[in-house]
Amino acid sequence: MNDLIVRLENVTKIYHTGEKVHALDQLSLEIKRGETVALMGVSGSGKSTLLNLICGLDVPTEGHIYFEGVDLSSLNDNESTRLRREKIGIIFQTFNLLPTLSALENVALTLRLQGNSKKKSDARAKEMLECVGLSHRLSHLPDEMSGGERQRIAIARALVFNPPLLLADEPTGNLDSQTGESILELLINLHRQFGTTIVIVTHNELAAAHCQRRITMRDGRIVKDEVHRQEQP
Ligand SMILES: Nc1ncnc2c1ncn2[C@@H]1O[C@H](COP(=O)(O)OP(=O)(O)OP(=O)(O)O)[C@@H](O)[C@H]1O
Ligand SMILES: [Mg+2]
């Protein structure tokens, strides 16, 4: 197996809407399989842009991105979708839940799309929703739930298929500190148990302390990259 799960080579992302924005500027980065990375930096520094490029939801203006050694620019739309469906759990800043599906259905959908039976998918989704403390809200629609609850559905959905890579954009941003802490523990346990590689965007020092590596961005560049210690027990 390739030791590197993600590699970025001189990646630049320029948005042309209105004024030209250099969201990422000649950024190079290697993420090893099994690493836990806290991605930090002020608002607008390019963190979400970086996650969107790593999972192939957006394409770089210049440079190359490799997932398990495969150049993402060589994948067509179907292959790119399949990569995300099978290998990358994504927790978006905006959750991206399907409004017409219940909590259970939102989480089970990923498994159904992978070809699992309804029975198996529902059972596993239920288990995952229990892990994030939502077993009492299985049949609620996203609109019928609080921001923190929606965030937890998004977390359950990203984790339900045990992806080798988890990209999490401020996964505990809307949660009270106790719920946030239990979600972080869930993520770290996942890493311990399955070797999941985790990249987590956070503004929170305590959350970052759970990770082995801390990358700080500014103006679309990495300005600090520290492997500070093993994660806390
Ligand atoms: N679709 C877009 N069109 C134009 N500009 C964009 C777009 N998406 C992001 N940007 C700009 O690119 C820069 C980086 O944005 P990004 O969302 O990656 O920041 P971020 O570090 O995730 O910030 P935050 O902490 O607020 O979530 C910002 O200046 C933003 O305004
Ligand atoms: Mg962001």
Side-chain angles (χ1 to χ4, degrees), residues 10-21:
N10 292 319
V11 169
T12 293
K13 177 69 189 180
I14 300 172
Y15 288 112
H16 288 282
T17 36
E19 213 173 302
K20 217 163 135 183
V21 177

Side-chain angles (χ1 to χ4, degrees), residues 15-17 21-23 41-50 93 169-170 201 203:
Y15 288 112
H16 288 282
T17 36
V21 177
H22 266 77
V42 295
S43 176
S45 57
K47 305 177 300 291
S48 297
T49 303
L50 179 59
Q93 218 167 357
D169 207 342
E170 295 190 50
V201 173
H203 293 287

Side-chain angles (χ1 to χ4, degrees), residues 143-156:
D143 277 352
E144 300 164 347
M145 302 176 75
S146 74
E149 286 171 340
R150 280 196 282 259
Q151 188 148 31
R152 284 184 277 157
I153 307 177
I155 291 165

Side-chain angles (χ1 to χ4, degrees), residues 63-83:
H64 288 274
I65 300 167
Y66 301 88
F67 184 90
E68 295 181 335
V70 175
D71 188 338
L72 293 187
S73 70
S74 72
L75 303 181
N76 63 30
D77 284 354
N78 282 340
E79 290 165 333
S80 177
T81 303
R82 198 158 137 210
L83 173 77

